[in-house]
Amino acid sequence: MDRTCQASFECSVTSEHHPDETTSSTVSHATTTVGQSTCQGELRLCLVGALATDDEALGAAQKFKLSVVTSVDGLDYVYDATYWTYFVLADFDSAEYEELHKHTSRLIGKPALLDMAVGGESNKGTAVVGVAAVVAQPQLVLHTRAVYCHVMKSCVMVFTGFRKRNEVARLLKQIHFMGGSVKNEMSEKVTHLIAVTATGEKYQYAVTFGVPVMTHHWVNTAWAHRDDQGASAKKPEIMEQYKLGLFHNLRVVPVGFNADDTEVMKRLLGDSRGTCTTLSDPAVTHVVLDDGNVKEKPPDYPSKAYVVKGEWFWASIQMNACANESMYMFEDTNEKPAASGVVSPRGGSTTGSIGGVGGSIASSGGERGGGGLFSPATPRSRSRRRKRLRETMQQLASDDSPCTPGSQLTLPASKRRSSVADLISYMSGDGSFLEDSQHTPVCPLPSIKKTPLSPPNIDLRLLTYRQRVFHELVKTECNYVSILDTINKVIKEPLEDDSQPGGPMLDSQELRYIFGNLPPIHDVHTKMRNDFLYLSHNWKPDASIGQIVLNYSDDLEKAYPPFVNYFENVKEMLAKICHERPRFHAFLKIAQSKPECGRQSFQELLIRPVQRLPSMSLLLCDILKHTDKSHSDHSALSKALDKIKSVTMFINDNKRKTEAKLKLF
């Protein structure tokens, strides 16, 4: 049975009462609770077995200026109440350890003793002339359990995903012997998670809070180095070697992807310790569907497997950790949608709708009934209702563009305006809930001087052929500028963000090389689009299309050559970076899946500037063909077309010269 004693000594003592807490103090007296009964005595070290004749161990023990004794098995000192004895052994996998451990836990391995003996001597010999050197004394750490070495000192671990009790028991014992500790649940004190697979709640907690996730081989390797003085499992190179792969032990089935993407996914899975398998594999953990090509779940997928969208895979690669599956679950398009409606402040659901002739407002609870859109349920509900009504008025009053698909507001403009009038009349009537608040001004109709950012919604059959082709020119110009906007907002700006998870994917030089020549093109076409739109919304028979092009011809000639000249080099650079940096490749795949990109790859979007001027030239040629020679725009169109062709030829000549120079290097 363990006993508690009080010892007097001059070295620094650390008393460890908890597996994950250490309290250090430099004192002349220290008290450590080890058992239930107490007695007092001097602290003593006992070298057991082979260490009795080990000069290195004896020298280390004497540095603590304590009483040091030797023994064949240590049993003769276990119940000596005169001393509080710590037993030092050469090996914990020995008969001496097994026998002593039946009587006491005050057991220390030789590596731990040597480590504590030299712990404060690293500052020796660093004294400055005229200044007394401060040398820390050896620090004796008093543990409440047997500690063989300090390879895992201060490591606090949690296990997850293990099925075999014997394996966990063995790892737990080794961790304790190496000075570490184990907890049952994740908390802020946990320093490492030891996992079998890259999934589960504990894994997601570790990823979220930056806790390193390790394989059990990390513990095995640390134990293999238990006799190496100064060894530490927390060294970066060791941690990196035994870090859990982001798809560790996951068996993934890609479905609906093209051959190139499937090959890339297979390679990345292998590099990340995962396996690419088939649906016939009963151990499948994840079925990854390309939701752009696949609309239904495979009928024969394993019931226990996660069925996720392709974005889950690429997001995992980008963040270098397995993404949370719940955020990327695949849903069949033929599944019944959840019941729609407005959630009332009291938790009920209403089916309020706004629309219909005269702008009628329907609610399941009536205009003022409980639970309806206008029910005064909470003190803040009035302001929320007023905000919704103001937004409704603005939507009803908007004449800029036709309603988006799925919208209920599909009435002609005249009826929409009458709906606004009816709604305002309702709001200002007797008993309105707006009467007790400050008057809310009605938003005015949009100014007719403001040009919408889309072509007018008109019946092309009513237009002349010249107008129809111009309408197509405006439409393609709007689409082109939209693509340039997408490149800038969806791809360029996120890549420039230094705070992105995992750090920057491209350095500043690479960013300039890829995107540096796009801003001038974006700028000139944005201005040209705005002029085209203004003309299309304010069309006149004598409108001059050619003059708009001529106004920007010089800017086009300056903007395009730098981009076109190095386009092929940029393509090669992108292909190389995608192959070498999986995070960048994954980032582009995620961007491609966004609606703004229309499922087009970055390379497909990036080639649009190369194609724009030839496309524009064809449309201008068609407009010129259907413009009468007597028309005032005929001359301007001819000059504009010649200028565009001239710019194209200049770009091609410039490109050939640039390629010739590059070949010299």
Side-chain angles (χ1 to χ4, degrees):
M1 180 178 65
D2 282 348
R3 307 181 181 210
T4 299
C5 307
Q6 182 169 317
S8 298
F9 51 95
E10 298 177 357
C11 63
S12 175
V13 176
T14 297
S15 175
E16 290 198 352
H17 300 281
H18 303 285
D20 56 334
E21 294 181 1
T22 302
T23 305
S24 180
S25 59
T26 303
V27 294
S28 58
H29 298 279
T31 302
T32 301
T33 301
V34 180
Q36 293 181 349
S37 60
T38 61
C39 67
Q40 293 186 346
E42 294 182 10
L43 185 64
R44 177 172 61 185
L45 295 177
C46 177
L47 305 182
V48 180
L51 295 185
T53 57
D54 189 315
D55 293 338
E56 185 180 28
L58 182 60
Q62 290 174 342
K63 289 183 179 181
F64 296 101
K65 301 179 182 180
L66 303 174
S67 174
V68 179
V69 295
T70 61
S71 174
V72 175
D73 55 14
L75 295 177
D76 44 340
Y77 293 108
V78 169
Y79 295 113
D80 185 352
T82 308
Y83 290 91
W84 187 19
T85 307
Y86 265 78
F87 300 89
V88 185
L89 294 91
D91 189 2
F92 275 13
D93 187 17
S94 62
E96 291 90 347
Y97 170 82
E98 294 297 335
E99 190 62 32
L100 277 172
H101 192 251
K102 295 177 183 178
H103 304 280
T104 181
S105 62
R106 298 195 301 270
L107 306 175
I108 302 175
K110 177 185 174 181
L113 179 72
L114 297 178
D115 184 52
M116 291 184 286
V118 301
E121 295 194 340
S122 59
N123 292 326
K124 280 189 176 181
T126 60
V128 180
V129 177
V131 180
V134 178
V135 180
Q137 296 179 0
Q139 187 180 55
L140 183 62
V141 181
L142 306 182
H143 298 275
T144 57
R145 63 164 63 98
V147 173
Y148 182 78
C149 63
H150 290 159
V151 177
M152 283 192 162
K153 183 180 180 181
S154 73
C155 292
V156 182
M157 281 152 277
V158 169
F159 289 95
T160 183
F162 288 84
R163 303 296 181 189
K164 299 178 181 178
R165 286 180 173 269
N166 292 339
E167 183 180 16
V168 174
R170 176 182 60 80
L171 293 171
L172 181 68
K173 186 177 180 180
Q174 290 177 350
I175 290 169
H176 285 163
F177 281 175
M178 291 186 285
S181 60
V182 177
K183 295 286 187 181
N184 289 326
E185 299 295 336
M186 298 296 291
S187 69
E188 67 277 3
K189 294 182 180 180
V190 175
T191 61
H192 299 82
L193 175 68
I194 302 176
V196 175
T197 60
T199 187
E201 292 182 3
K202 292 179 180 178
Y203 175 84
Q204 292 301 333
Y205 179 100
V207 170
T208 302
F209 293 99
V211 178
V213 186
M214 313 300 295
T215 68
H216 69 280
H217 299 295
W218 178 56
V219 180
N220 295 336
T221 301
W223 182 245
H225 291 273
R226 61 188 180 276
D227 291 314
D228 298 346
Q229 188 173 349
S232 173
K234 294 186 290 184
K235 289 183 177 179
E237 60 272 19
I238 300 296
M239 295 277 291
E240 185 62 30
Q241 184 177 356
Y242 295 101
K243 184 179 179 182
L244 193 82
L246 68 93
F247 294 123
H248 200 98
N249 281 345
L250 300 186
R251 304 184 69 81
V252 180
V253 181
V255 177
F257 295 90
N258 60 46
D260 290 340
D261 282 347
T262 302
E263 192 61 32
V264 170
M265 294 172 77
K266 187 181 297 185
R267 174 173 61 84
L268 293 175
L269 279 166
D271 293 344
S272 304
R273 302 174 190 173
T275 302
C276 186
T277 184
T278 62
L279 288 171
S280 59
D281 183 354
V284 169
T285 60
H286 293 75
V287 179
V288 185
L289 306 181
D290 184 349
D291 50 313
N293 299 324
V294 180
K295 303 304 178 185
E296 297 180 0
K297 297 177 182 178
D300 52 347
Y301 76 91
S303 59
K304 293 184 179 180
Y306 289 103
V307 182
V308 293
K309 296 183 287 187
E311 190 177 352
W312 168 82
F313 183 88
W314 303 118
S316 299
I317 294 292
Q318 186 182 350
M319 63 189 291
N320 199 28
C322 187
N324 192 335
E325 293 88 353
S326 63
M327 299 174 62
Y328 302 94
M329 298 302 290
F330 180 87
E331 296 181 2
D332 285 345
T333 55
N334 58 0
E335 288 180 351
K336 292 183 179 180
S340 60
V342 180
V343 179
S344 72
R346 290 179 176 174
S349 177
T350 71
T351 56
S353 61
I354 303 175
V357 178
S360 61
I361 303 175
S363 173
S364 62
E367 289 180 353
R368 299 176 186 271
L373 181 63
F374 299 106
S375 65
T378 65
R380 296 185 180 180
S381 61
R382 291 182 176 179
S383 61
R384 286 198 296 267
R385 289 195 298 271
R386 286 197 296 271
K387 181 179 178 182
R388 283 200 293 267
L389 285 172
R390 285 197 299 271
E391 292 172 349
T392 301
M393 286 195 302
Q394 293 173 16
Q395 189 176 6
L396 286 167
S398 176
D399 290 327
D400 278 358
S401 60
C403 295
T404 56
S407 172
Q408 295 177 339
L409 306 176
T410 56
L411 296 176
S414 60
K415 290 189 177 181
R416 287 202 299 273
R417 284 192 290 271
S418 65
S419 298
V420 175
D422 291 343
L423 186 59
I424 295 172
S425 175
Y426 171 83
M427 291 172 60
S428 59
D430 294 337
S432 169
F433 57 78
L434 293 179
E435 286 184 354
D436 61 349
S437 62
Q438 186 177 356
H439 174 66
T440 304
V442 178
C443 296
L445 292 174
S447 171
I448 59 172
K449 294 182 180 180
K450 182 181 178 182
T451 304
L453 295 179
S454 59
N457 185 26
I458 52 180
D459 189 349
L460 297 180
R461 294 172 298 180
L462 303 178
L463 304 179
T464 64
Y465 194 88
R466 167 181 155 87
Q467 281 181 274
R468 271 184 264 172
V469 181
F470 174 62
H471 185 85
E472 182 66 21
L473 175 63
V474 177
K475 184 179 177 181
T476 57
E477 187 70 9
C478 289
N479 290 340
Y480 178 53
V481 173
S482 177
I483 288 171
L484 297 178
D485 288 338
T486 296
I487 292 174
N488 187 56
K489 294 178 182 178
V490 178
I491 300 175
K492 178 175 176 284
E493 290 181 1
L495 286 173
E496 291 175 332
D497 183 8
D498 293 336
S499 63
Q500 57 190 286
M505 286 175 272
L506 299 176
D507 59 37
S508 57
Q509 185 176 355
E510 290 167 335
L511 285 169
R512 281 197 304 271
Y513 194 79
I514 296 171
F515 299 101
N517 295 319
L518 274 175
I521 296 175
H522 191 187
D523 183 58
V524 65
H525 278 279
T526 299
K527 294 175 181 176
M528 190 184 298
R529 176 205 61 183
N530 293 342
D531 287 355
F532 280 155
L533 283 171
Y534 182 82
L535 186 61
S536 65
H537 283 273
N538 300 275
W539 181 259
K540 296 178 182 179
D542 60 346
S544 179
I545 303 168
Q547 189 57 49
I548 294 177
V549 179
L550 287 173
N551 291 342
Y552 297 101
S553 58
D554 291 340
D555 293 332
L556 292 172
E557 188 172 345
K558 294 176 184 177
Y560 271 93
F563 179 85
V564 177
N565 289 348
Y566 295 97
F567 175 71
E568 293 299 329
N569 301 79
V570 170
K571 278 179 59 180
E572 292 176 6
M573 181 182 185
L574 286 173
K576 184 173 182 290
I577 295 175
C578 281
H579 182 75
E580 295 176 350
R581 304 177 200 174
R583 283 185 61 229
F584 180 69
H585 180 78
F587 169 80
L588 294 184
K589 282 295 180 181
I590 293 173
Q592 182 178 345
S593 68
K594 293 184 177 179
E596 300 97 311
C597 293
R599 302 198 64 80
Q600 297 179 86
S601 68
F602 180 40
Q603 289 83 345
E604 290 171 330
L605 296 176
L606 209 56
I607 201 174
R608 294 304 184 90
V610 179
Q611 301 169 337
R612 182 54 189 162
L613 290 186
S615 171
M616 197 173 171
S617 178
L618 291 174
L619 289 170
L620 288 174
C621 185
D622 204 11
I623 294 174
L624 178 62
K625 189 185 300 183
H626 293 86
T627 301
D628 193 273
K629 291 184 178 181
S630 61
H631 195 287
S632 58
D633 191 30
H634 189 277
S635 175
L637 275 172
S638 298
K639 293 178 182 178
L641 185 57
D642 290 341
K643 191 65 177 177
I644 291 295
K645 290 180 179 179
S646 174
V647 171
T648 304
M649 290 179 61
F650 175 78
I651 292 171
N652 291 335
D653 291 341
N654 204 291
K655 184 175 184 294
R656 281 192 291 269
K657 292 177 182 178
T658 302
E659 289 174 348
K661 290 180 181 179
L662 291 174
K663 286 181 180 179
L664 295 177
F665 298 96

